Amino acid sequence: MPGLYLVGLLIAIAGIAVLDVRYRLFFWHAPVRAAVVMVIGLVFFLVWDVVGVHLGIFFIGTNGLLTGVLLAPDVPLEELFFLVLLCWTTMDLFGAVRPVVERLRARSVDGPEQNEPEHHEGRA
């Protein structure tokens, strides 16, 4: 069924967008910076794809799930949406993990939390 892969990618991108909005991980945390990072990532990976096609590493096999629209020889339209999903998922993951790492780092530098009760020996 032509286009089914594109539909799947769009559903996955919508899911990543929902997580991004809900937890303000990437685009809803810093929209301009996120757009710049996304464009840089897309350009990098599209150049990577074109070089891979030129070297004979990447090619389109027989598949009835693609739309048949090509951005360049052996670079299907779906590749662009896959790369959006790849970059956005990576940056959402980075946005989710970074605060956890920062909290753990702050705890290890500051020592035990000040709100912990002190233990007194001999007292009931």
Side-chain angles (χ1 to χ4, degrees):
M1 179 178 188
L4 191 58
Y5 181 51
L6 181 58
V7 169
L9 288 170
L10 291 172
I11 290 169
I13 290 169
I16 288 297
V18 167
L19 288 172
D20 195 357
V21 170
R22 169 65 178 88
Y23 297 104
R24 299 190 180 283
L25 299 171
F26 185 45
F27 274 106
W28 278 261
H29 177 72
V32 173
R33 182 172 49 187
V36 169
V37 168
M38 180 66 79
V39 168
I40 291 170
L42 290 176
V43 168
F44 173 82
F45 283 117
L46 284 172
V47 168
W48 175 300
D49 283 350
V50 169
V51 170
V53 166
H54 179 71
L55 295 173
I57 298 169
F58 302 147
F59 57 89
I60 299 176
T62 56
N63 190 330
L65 301 176
L66 301 176
T67 60
V69 177
L70 297 179
L71 301 175
D74 282 323
V75 181
L77 172 66
E78 290 83 358
E79 183 69 9
L80 178 64
F81 289 92
F82 171 76
L83 294 176
V84 167
L85 178 64
L86 176 71
C87 292
W88 204 342
T89 301
T90 301
M91 294 314 299
D92 272 2
L93 181 62
F94 181 80
V97 170
R98 187 172 66 182
V100 173
V101 170
E102 288 173 356
R103 275 195 301 269
L104 291 173
R105 186 177 298 141
R107 271 192 204 154
S108 68
V109 170
D110 295 340
E113 291 190 27
Q114 301 299 322
N115 295 337
E116 291 183 22
E118 293 183 25
H119 294 3
H120 297 284
E121 292 188 35
R123 292 189 170 178

